[in-house]
Amino acid sequence: MPIKNIVTDQIVTKAKLERAKELRREMTPAEKLLWQEVRANKLGVRFRRQQVIQGFIVDFYCHQVGLVVEVDGDVHDLQKDEDERREKVLTEMGLRVIRFGNDEVGRDLSAVVGKVRESVKKR
């Protein structure tokens, strides 16, 4: 069951909205690959990219099933505490968070898409 109005009932600063737009324009190669596989209801649900939720910008978000998909690059090795805090906040909101590394997406895209598909079906 999705979280009611998670996206529409939040206050988002102009700076955060601009940053999300910038991130959409400058997606990493791994994000671009995954986006091509999850966009346009290809998995039976709608995903948004670079969605602001509770002040965080998540890589991909499906409101219908309450799923956040993150694609992590090398920078995430340096910010594990922040990622854990962020994941805790999102999880406490009732969202499910799954993470993939850039290398994982590039190396085995079909397996990554399969895991996202499984997560969609679990909801």
Side-chain angles (χ1 to χ4, degrees):
M1 173 81 57
I3 308 307
K4 185 176 171 143
N5 296 326
I6 193 167
V7 175
T8 57
D9 282 352
Q10 63 179 333
I11 297 171
V12 180
T13 65
K14 185 175 180 178
K16 191 65 77 166
L17 279 177
E18 289 304 314
R19 178 68 179 140
K21 288 179 186 179
E22 179 183 319
L23 289 171
R24 280 184 214 114
R25 285 189 304 269
E26 299 172 7
M27 292 171 64
T28 67
E31 289 171 342
K32 287 178 185 177
L33 282 173
L34 187 54
W35 177 240
Q36 291 307 312
E37 298 298 318
V38 302
R39 68 184 298 211
N41 293 322
K42 289 182 180 178
L43 300 181
V45 293
R46 181 172 183 250
F47 277 88
R48 298 172 183 262
R49 59 191 171 129
Q50 306 302 336
Q51 178 65 53
V52 179
I53 302 174
Q54 290 301 111
F56 302 113
I57 301 174
V58 301
D59 292 331
F60 303 105
Y61 171 65
C62 177
H63 181 73
Q64 186 178 343
V65 296
L67 179 65
V68 171
V69 180
E70 294 280 43
V71 179
D72 296 340
D74 294 339
V75 71
H76 291 273
D77 292 338
L78 305 173
Q79 62 183 43
K80 288 185 187 218
D81 290 343
E82 175 61 19
D83 285 347
E84 286 175 12
R85 185 181 74 78
R86 164 189 176 118
E87 192 165 327
K88 183 177 186 246
V89 169
L90 296 172
T91 301
E92 286 174 352
M93 294 173 63
L95 300 176
R96 180 154 186 242
V97 180
I98 57 175
R99 293 182 169 280
F100 302 99
N102 281 342
D103 58 336
E104 186 178 4
V105 174
R107 185 178 63 248
D108 198 353
L109 180 61
S110 62
V112 169
V113 173
K115 289 175 185 175
V116 174
R117 185 177 281 115
E118 285 176 29
S119 293
V120 166
K121 288 180 182 178
K122 285 182 182 178
R123 294 290 198 157

